[in-house]
């Protein structure tokens, strides 16, 4: 797999069964076999490991208790099981991380992906042994479409991880396709995919990944929509590794509905040399008709990427409007706009 990745000039990660512990001979052999591969970017630990010994434990999977509610009610059965499993798993994760660092001296990061609601107490037991945390969340269903959940979980893992880098794994499939009910297949539209990607970034994610494109082979149009958003992000990559500019801020001045609770508008405001990037995400399911971006000292105008519009910057600020869950990306030049258009119109329900 790494050879195939290298052939197209990319890099990938390798999953390791760190729960077996650092004394495991097969784990040691696996690391030694791959540690010098030029396409290896990161090591991944066991997927959703805390989730698998708590809400989605063996007790639940084997129907010892009928619902995950057993964990959420913190019954002795569920709690005692998790403590017994954690007593075995956590020391093994820590010792395996030490083995990885001893054998791979390149400094490649160790990443563990969790479920969105995995238990904070147990994550913190292995947290200091890894470099990158984060979770997966797939909120687009036939009955409910809640793209902003990924923003909330990004913030959760920034807090859980004590500001370690967060990688978010987003939806690359339709639930009906994955679970085998072909009569009800609902994919994220491109607009939803774009909103979720940028919302994770405006909430502090340092990486965006997609799961499900091999587990549930997607609609070809949806696959192209994933390529379209990754191309969009790749084109502005120089900005994504920078901090926000000092003094940059967003102000929402609404003309009505002052008493309606709202999430507001999240943003990044970045500068690379003389170039600017401003990304705005309306996190509400209602419009915001007066969104003011401040702190653009020295800018004279910005192009609204993927649209025909240009906006003037006066006194270091500009004003725009955002429709429900809309994303707008502004840059000082259209060179930051991907030339890839295929997939950006994907709207299959």
């Amino acid at each position: 797999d790494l050879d195939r990745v290298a052939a197209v000039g990319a890099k990938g990660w390798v999953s390791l069964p760190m729960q077996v512990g650092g004394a495991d001979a097969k784990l040691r052999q696996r690391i030694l076999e791959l540690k010098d591969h030029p396409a290896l970017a990161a090591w991944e630990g066991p997927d959703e490991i805390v989730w698998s010994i708590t809400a989605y434990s063996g007790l639940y999977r084997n129907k010892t208790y009928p619902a995950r509610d057993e964990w959420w009610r913190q019954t002795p059965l569920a709690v005692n099981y998790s403590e017994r499993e954690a007593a075995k798993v956590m020391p093994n994760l820590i010792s395996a991380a030490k083995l990885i660092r001893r054998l791979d001296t390149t400094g490649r990061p160790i990443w563990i992906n969790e479920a969105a609601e995995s238990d904070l107490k147990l994550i913190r037991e292995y947290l200091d042994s890894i470099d990158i945390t984060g979770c997966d969340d797939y909120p687009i269903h036939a009955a409910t479409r809640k793209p902003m959940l990924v923003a909330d979980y990004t913030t959760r893992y920034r807090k859980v991880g004590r500001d370690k880098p967060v990688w978010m794994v987003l939806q690359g499939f339709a639930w009906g396709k994955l679970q085998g009910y072909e009569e009800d297949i609902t994919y994220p539209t491109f607009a939803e995919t774009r909103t979720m990607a940028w919302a994770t970034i405006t909430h502090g994610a340092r990486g965006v990944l997609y799961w499900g494109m091999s587990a549930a082979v997607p609609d070809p149009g949806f696959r192209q929509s994933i390529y379209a958003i990754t191309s969009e992000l790749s084109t502005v990559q120089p900005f994504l590794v920078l901090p926000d500019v000092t003094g940059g801020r967003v102000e929402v001045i609404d003309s009505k509905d002052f008493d309606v609770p709202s999430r507001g508008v999240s943003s990044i405001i970045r500068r690379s040399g003389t170039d600017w990037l401003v990304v705005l995400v309306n996190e509400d399911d209602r419009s915001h008709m007066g969104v003011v971006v401040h702190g653009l000292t020295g800018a004279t105008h910005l192009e609204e990427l993927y649209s025909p519009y240009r906006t003037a910057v006066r006194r270091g600020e500009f004003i725009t409007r955002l429709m429900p869950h809309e994303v707008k990306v502004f840059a000082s030049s259209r060179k930051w706009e991907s030339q890839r258009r295929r997939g950006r119109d994907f709207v299959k329900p």
Side-chain angles (χ1 to χ4, degrees), residues 49-206:
I49 185 63
V50 167
W51 188 245
S52 72
I53 61 174
T54 54
Y56 195 61
S57 72
L59 294 179
Y60 170 73
R61 295 194 300 274
N62 296 328
K63 303 188 186 313
T64 304
Y65 57 77
R68 294 177 190 172
D69 182 59
E70 193 88 11
W71 168 253
W72 300 117
R73 290 188 294 111
Q74 289 287 275
T75 65
L77 177 65
V79 172
N80 291 339
Y81 176 90
S82 71
E83 293 295 337
R84 288 195 305 271
E85 291 299 304
K88 296 180 290 186
V89 169
M90 297 304 158
N92 284 351
L93 290 178
I94 294 167
S95 67
K98 290 179 180 177
L99 177 67
I100 293 169
R101 299 191 198 287
R102 186 163 66 249
L103 298 180
D104 179 9
T105 59
T106 64
R108 289 188 185 93
I110 301 172
W111 160 50
I112 290 184
N113 173 68
E114 283 289 352
E117 297 183 354
S118 285
D119 183 62
L120 166 60
K121 177 179 180 292
L122 293 181
I123 293 173
R124 286 275 178 88
E125 291 191 22
Y126 70 72
L127 184 69
D128 289 344
S129 297
I130 67 168
D131 304 292
I132 301 166
T133 186
C135 73
D136 49 55
D137 190 54
Y138 315 123
I140 304 302
H141 302 259
T144 59
R145 308 178 85 104
K146 297 181 178 180
M148 282 306 124
L149 283 176
V150 300
D152 295 335
Y153 288 127
T154 303
T155 298
R156 179 178 193 254
Y157 273 85
R158 284 185 60 199
K159 295 177 180 179
V160 169
R162 299 193 187 98
D163 281 330
K164 282 183 181 287
V166 171
W167 287 2
M168 292 296 293
V169 182
L170 305 183
Q171 190 166 346
F173 64 94
W175 279 105
K177 188 78 170 179
L178 184 70
Q179 297 178 337
Y181 42 94
E182 294 280 338
E183 71 281 359
D184 187 8
I185 296 178
T186 303
Y187 289 99
T189 66
F190 175 75
E192 289 170 327
T193 292
R194 189 176 189 230
T195 295
M196 288 188 286
W198 280 116
T200 65
I201 294 171
T202 59
H203 279 253
R206 299 293 299 278

Side-chain angles (χ1 to χ4, degrees), residues 240-253:
L240 300 185
V241 297
L242 297 175
D244 279 335
V245 299
T246 302
R249 64 184 179 90
V250 172
E251 179 184 17
V252 178
I253 306 176

Side-chain angles (χ1 to χ4, degrees), residues 216-235:
V217 179
D219 178 276
F222 175 70
R223 180 181 290 276
Q224 293 301 323
S225 76
I226 298 295
Y227 295 161
I229 189 59
T230 55
S231 178
E232 178 175 333
L233 297 179
S234 176
T235 305

Side-chain angles (χ1 to χ4, degrees), residues 252-257 260-265 281-291 320-326 328:
V252 178
I253 306 176
D254 278 335
S255 58
K256 59 179 181 178
D257 297 332
V260 177
S262 71
R263 298 173 59 99
V265 175
V281 180
N282 182 358
E283 299 195 4
D284 293 315
D285 56 7
R286 63 188 180 95
S287 300
H288 291 298
M289 301 298 287
V291 181
T320 190
R321 311 173 193 93
L322 291 171
M323 296 296 99
H325 292 168
E326 184 179 15
K328 286 188 177 181

